[in-house]
């Protein structure tokens, strides 16, 4: 088999001097499923963006069918028959499936014909064996259907190479299985698929060859059949990852947080929280599992007062805090880590120390409302040391740190206030394994110190490793409450996340 | 730790960038002078050295710098909260109008009279500067557009007020002469340096302390850097932004009042007096740091005075300085100016680091993270 796509010594340096890819060379053969694995932050997504023309390369060459190509935008890549499904879907929410499929398609008519478009969409879906509703608006579609629509978009534009960036991250085990069947069929029909993931069992199951990336470099390309999961894992991180922690058995204490019958509808009228009640105690980690978009974010935002519930109440230590402001809620003792650290977790252009003091500014004020420089400096230095933030000094711009170190600084800020309740929304998303295990240990430390923790995560391993109790959210409801003292079964969680099983009103 | 001590030119990148922008635009202006003037060397000499040759020239520079400093300080406070609100211009003009009104229509003893009229101008200026944000919040109109609109409105409001109530009949257009109790006394004999200069020095210190040392300033900067984050940690961002606009407008209004009762004997601003663009230039050249605002303001004033001296002695249009300012703003504001220089430097550094890490890993025998 010939090399269809070949990269030679590709280096990418981002603005701010971040070296994302360093002398990467690898090749993809026609008609194979080529997996690209590596930890978060190893440079997989950057590499794919380069292939899709979204990022320019600093140095190196790309060959397609033996000829050197230069992509200045994704339009060029599409013209060369390369398509990509992004981690975050690139669909217009208010358009229907058919409209999204036709959008930007070069062969589309000037005036759109709704009926013909829907027929066309259905024909494409039938051809490739996808089940989608062409009339439904994207915002009303489930994640899995959106993903299928994305793949169809690529196929419809005649692409021969499909790049999938962590397609299974948002899917349940059952949906993943269905996706894999489709991908294998596509491969049989002559498509070349580049599959990015950090889930080794999936990679092992579906790919023909594997290229391993570690901190921006290739660790080699292997035939999937010749390499075991342990070997891949060793190549990826240099050691075997295990989220096995020695958790001290604790009896949970007083009730800290209680929500009663929370309801919320988003701007499109979709019900995000449907009569949700839960309670959380001291010395307890409550994990929230669920496919993304089933109301987890809304729940967190309502508890932290970033969002107002349509109805229902939130109580903290017995006090009604439903209508309190964000600052009031924080002052009462609820600290939180947001899902997206660059959006509202930090101020990228300010220094680490200015970011670290943000949660509790009043403690650094003198009598005359001036900030005490020395106290800030000592406090920042102490936290940087205690939370192992790798940095030159406390005055460095936080933006210039790696994702893991930014997250550690944010964790340092939120864990060092006198708060008794910590709300963590995806606290380890997209960071390196060393930082993940460091943050996990800190979370357990907080639990031992008597704090209550609400942990929302899409990483089931993380939830199973840390939580005392796991609640599964589906369509704004808690459909299952599982004791995690003996480890919960991942497959069973999946059934609840999909809504196939439901513990009903008993929860 | 050794790396920290090593001199790194990139630490001074923004300062060097601004300097290079100034040098480039100066050179361009010199080229133009060579084209249009019969005695180019003399003209350039007059422009660059002229202000330093006489005591009057020197003090002229300081006088010119005073309103620039007030405007730039006002912008420093209001712009760093993250909104592009240039309503300070209206605050400045109305500050002068209010000061004239209080000077002519209210009788008070010396010292108290000045304090009252400057404070009144400040309060009105502060309120004016919050308008674009308040109205923008409820109508979703861009505050910059609103600010420009309000600057125009307040210019005519001010003009109408002076015409209706303060105008002296006969002679050239202007208000009655201010009483002595309203004017700021002379500081140095033989120049027009007035006590406003001292108020300005206090204002500079105030803004530096407010923005760089106080917790309010920290909240303003945090809100400007990432409003979502500021909200997330419980800062009431709306109040912070409006507070910053009020303080900025207060300084602007005060600046207008001080300029009016310090430099002039009566209100004669019949055309729109605008300091906001010059103030913006000063604020940008100072790299948004109030500490550098006096220096950059004096520099701009120096160029202005130099250009006027040049036009008198070499018969060139002093507006050539406006051209110079335009180029400087363009270069300083454009992110891509000298961007490749910085990018290459960063790339080199990160490759070096990668190499070092590799060597280190090789020494330790590999498999450690």
């Amino acid at each position: 088999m010939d090399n269809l796509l070949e990269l030679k010594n590709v280096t990418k340096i981002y603005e701010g001097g971040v070296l994302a890819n360093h002398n990467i060379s690898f090749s993809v053969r026609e008609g194979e499923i080529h997996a690209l694995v590596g930890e978060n932050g190893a440079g997989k997504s950057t590499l794919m963006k380069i292939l899709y023309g979204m990022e320019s390369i600093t140095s190196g060459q790309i060959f397609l069918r033996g000829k050197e190509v230069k992509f200045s935008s994704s339009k060029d890549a599409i013209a060369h028959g390369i398509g990509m499904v992004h981690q975050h879907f690139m669909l217009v929410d208010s358009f229907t499936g058919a409209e999204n499929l036709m959008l930007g398609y070069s062969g589309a008519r000037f005036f759109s014909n709704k009926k013909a478009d829907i027929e066309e969409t259905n024909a494409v879906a039938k051809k490739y064996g996808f089940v989608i509703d062409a009339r439904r608006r994207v915002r009303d579609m489930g994640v899995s259907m959106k993903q299928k629509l994305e793949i169809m978009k690529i196929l419809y534009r005649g692409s021969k190479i499909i790049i999938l960036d962590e397609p299974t991250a948002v899917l349940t085990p059952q949906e993943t299985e269905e996706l894999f069947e489709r991908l294998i069929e596509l491969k049989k029909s002559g498509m070349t698929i580049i599959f990015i993931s950090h889930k080794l069992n999936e990679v092992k199951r579906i790919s023909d060859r594997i290229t391993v990336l570690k901190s921006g470099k290739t660790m080699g390309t292997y035939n999937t059949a010749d390499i075991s999961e342990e070997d891949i894992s060793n190549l990826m991180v240099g050691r075997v990852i295990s989220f096995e922690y020695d958790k001290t058995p604790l009896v949970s204490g007083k009730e800290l947080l209680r929500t009663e019958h929370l309801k919320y509808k988003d701007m499109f009228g979709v019900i995000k929280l449907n009569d949700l009640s839960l309670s959380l105690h001291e010395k307890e980690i409550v994990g929230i599992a669920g496919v993304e978009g089933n109301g987890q974010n809304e729940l967190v935002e309502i508890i932290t007062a970033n969002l107002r519930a349509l109805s229902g109440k939130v109580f903290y230590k017995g006090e009604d805090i439903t209508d309190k402001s964000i600052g009031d809620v924080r002052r009462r003792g609820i600290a939180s880590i947001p899902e997206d650290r660059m959006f509202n977790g930090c101020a990228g252009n300010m220094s680490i120390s200015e970011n670290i003091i943000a949660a509790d500014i009043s403690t650094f004020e003198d009598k005359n409302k001036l900030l005490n420089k020395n106290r800030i400096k000592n406090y920042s230095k102490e936290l940087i040391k205690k939370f192992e933030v790798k940095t030159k000094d406390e005055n460095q711009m936080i933006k210039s740190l790696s994702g893991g170190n930014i997250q550690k600084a944010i964790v340092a800020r939120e864990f060092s206030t006198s708060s008794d309740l910590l709300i963590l929304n995806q606290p380890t998303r997209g960071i390196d394994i060393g930082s993940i295990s460091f943050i996990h240990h800190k979370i357990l430390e907080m639990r031992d110190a008597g704090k209550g923790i609400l942990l929302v995560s899409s990483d089931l391993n993380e939830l199973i490793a840390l939580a005392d109790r796991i609640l599964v959210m589906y369509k704004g409801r808690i459909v299952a409450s599982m004791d995690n003292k003996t480890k919960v079964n991942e497959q069973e969680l999946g059934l609840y996340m999909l809504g196939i099983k439901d513990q009903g009103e008993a929860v | 730790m050794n790396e920290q001590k090593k001199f790194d030119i990139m630490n001074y990148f923004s300062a060097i960038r601004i300097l290079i922008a100034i040098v480039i635009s100066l050179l361009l202006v010199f080229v133009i002078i060579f084209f249009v003037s019969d005695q180019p060397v003399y003209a350039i000499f007059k422009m660059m050295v002229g202000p330093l040759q006489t005591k009057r020239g020197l003090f002229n520079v300081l006088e010119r710098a005073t309103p620039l400093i007030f405007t730039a300080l006002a912008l420093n406070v209001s712009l760093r909260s993250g909104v592009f609100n240039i309503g300070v211009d209206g605050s400045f003009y109305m500050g002068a109008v209010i000061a004239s009104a209080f000077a002519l229509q209210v009788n008070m003893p010396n010292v108290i009279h000045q304090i009252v009229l400057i404070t009144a101008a400040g309060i009105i200026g502060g309120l004016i500067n919050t308008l674009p944000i308040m109205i923008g919040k409820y109508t979703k109109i861009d505050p910059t557009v609103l600010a420009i609109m309000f600057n125009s409105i307040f210019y005519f409001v001010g003009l109408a007020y002076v015409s209706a109530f303060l105008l002296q009949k006969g002679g050239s257009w202007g208000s009655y002469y201010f009483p002595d109790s309203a004017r700021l006394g002379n500081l140095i004999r033989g120049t027009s340096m007035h006590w406003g200069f001292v108020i300005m020095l206090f204002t500079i210190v105030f803004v530096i302390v407010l923005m760089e040392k106080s917790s309010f300033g920290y909240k303003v900067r945090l809100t400007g850097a990432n409003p979502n984050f500021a909200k997330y940690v419980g800062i009431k961002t709306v109040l912070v932004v409006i507070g910053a606009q009020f303080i900025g407008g207060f300084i602007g209004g005060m600046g207008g009042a001080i300029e009016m009762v310090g430099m002039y004997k009566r209100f004669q601003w019949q055309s729109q007096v605008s300091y906001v663009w010059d103030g913006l230039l000063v604020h940008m050249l100072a790299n948004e740091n109030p500490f550098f605002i006096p220096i950059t303001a004096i520099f701009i004033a120096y160029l202005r005075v130099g250009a006027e001296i040049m036009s008198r002695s070499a018969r060139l249009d002093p507006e050539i300085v406006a051209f110079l300012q335009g180029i400087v703003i363009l270069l300083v504001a454009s992110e891509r100016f000298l961007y490749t220089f910085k990018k290459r430097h960063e790339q080199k550094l990160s490759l070096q680091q990668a190499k070092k890490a590799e060597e280190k890993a090789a020494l330790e025998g590999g498999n450690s993270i």
Side-chain angles (χ1 to χ4, degrees), chain A residues 11 13-17 19 22 58 217 237-239 306 325-327 330 336-338 342-347 350 354-355 357-359 361 365 369-371 373 392-393 413 433, chain B residues 1 3-4 8 11 209-210 212-216 218-219 221-222 225-226 228-236 335-336 339 343 346-348 350-351 353-355 358 367-369:
Chain A
T11 296
I13 299 171
Y14 279 114
E15 209 171 313
L19 182 63
H22 192 197
T58 311
K217 277 184 261 181
V237 295
R239 71 168 185 225
N306 281 278
S325 72
I326 301 173
R330 274 187 173 267
S336 63
I337 293 177
M342 294 323 282
F343 176 71
N344 57 2
C346 67
M350 289 175 93
E354 280 172 316
N355 271 289
I357 62 168
I361 304 158
E365 278 173 4
K369 290 276 176 195
L370 296 188
L371 293 175
K373 222 175 171 181
K392 209 161 65 183
D393 58 28
R413 180 183 74 221
I433 201 86
Chain B
M1 282 297 120
E3 283 169 53
Q4 233 173 301
D8 186 0
N11 291 344
V209 172
L210 178 79
E212 308 297 325
K213 317 267 178 212
S214 81
S215 72
F216 178 76
Y218 169 77
K219 285 176 191 170
R221 287 184 288 128
L222 197 70
N226 185 351
N228 298 313
F229 174 53
K231 232 180 254 167
Y232 193 81
V233 293
I235 292 172
K236 294 203 161 78
E335 264 178 40
R336 295 278 143 166
Y339 168 75
K343 198 168 91 178
E346 282 172 355
Q347 287 173 357
K348 213 173 83 191
S350 63
L351 284 178
Q353 274 170 9
K355 210 175 147 195
E358 250 170 50
N367 251 350
S368 65
I369 306 183

Side-chain angles (χ1 to χ4, degrees), chain B residues 198-246:
Chain B
V198 179
I199 302 174
M200 182 194 77
L201 292 180
F202 278 113
T203 313
I204 293 170
V205 175
F206 170 77
V207 171
I208 292 173
V209 172
L210 178 79
M211 292 307 289
E212 308 297 325
K213 317 267 178 212
S214 81
S215 72
F216 178 76
Y218 169 77
K219 285 176 191 170
V220 171
R221 287 184 288 128
L222 197 70
T223 306
N226 185 351
N228 298 313
F229 174 53
K231 232 180 254 167
Y232 193 81
V233 293
I235 292 172
K236 294 203 161 78
T237 49
V238 176
L239 290 183
V240 167
V241 170
I242 288 180
Q245 304 316 306
F246 182 80

Side-chain angles (χ1 to χ4, degrees), chain B residues 294-311:
Chain B
I295 301 167
T296 49
I298 287 172
F299 172 73
I300 295 297
Y302 168 82
L303 287 180
R304 279 285 163 91
V305 173
E308 273 160 28
I309 293 174
M310 172 190 77
S311 84

Side-chain angles (χ1 to χ4, degrees), chain B residues 290-351:
Chain B
F291 197 79
F292 294 122
I293 282 179
I295 301 167
T296 49
I298 287 172
F299 172 73
I300 295 297
Y302 168 82
L303 287 180
R304 279 285 163 91
V305 173
E308 273 160 28
I309 293 174
M310 172 190 77
S311 84
R312 256 176 281 144
S313 44
R315 288 199 194 139
L316 273 175
D317 194 346
E319 284 308 305
I320 198 145
V321 168
F323 176 79
L324 187 147
Q325 280 186 10
I327 307 262
V328 174
I329 291 191
L330 192 74
L331 290 180
V332 172
S334 56
E335 264 178 40
R336 295 278 143 166
F337 174 58
L338 293 187
Y339 168 75
T340 32
F341 174 65
K342 192 182 178 194
K343 198 168 91 178
R344 264 194 224 126
H345 186 86
E346 282 172 355
Q347 287 173 357
K348 213 173 83 191
L349 263 181
S350 63
L351 284 178

Side-chain angles (χ1 to χ4, degrees), chain A residues 157-173:
Chain A
R157 282 157 179 72
S159 297
K160 290 286 171 212
I161 302 172
I162 304 178
I163 303 169
L164 296 159
D165 190 1
E166 306 216 7
T168 60
V170 288
L171 301 181
T172 59

Side-chain angles (χ1 to χ4, degrees), chain A residues 330 341-361 364 376 379-380 383-384 394-401 405-406 409-414 417, chain B residues 218 221-222 225-226 229-230 233:
Chain A
R330 274 187 173 267
R341 61 180 159 271
M342 294 323 282
F343 176 71
N344 57 2
C346 67
N349 283 325
M350 289 175 93
S351 72
I352 297 168
S353 88
E354 280 172 316
N355 271 289
I356 270 181
I357 62 168
D360 207 349
I361 304 158
F364 300 98
I376 291 174
Y379 182 77
S380 319
L383 257 53
I384 286 172
E394 74 279 4
N395 296 322
Q396 202 173 348
M397 226 187 248
I398 200 163
K399 192 170 71 172
S400 65
L401 303 184
N405 281 307
I406 296 176
I410 293 170
V411 168
R413 180 183 74 221
E414 300 294 342
T417 57
Chain B
Y218 169 77
R221 287 184 288 128
L222 197 70
N226 185 351
F229 174 53
V233 293

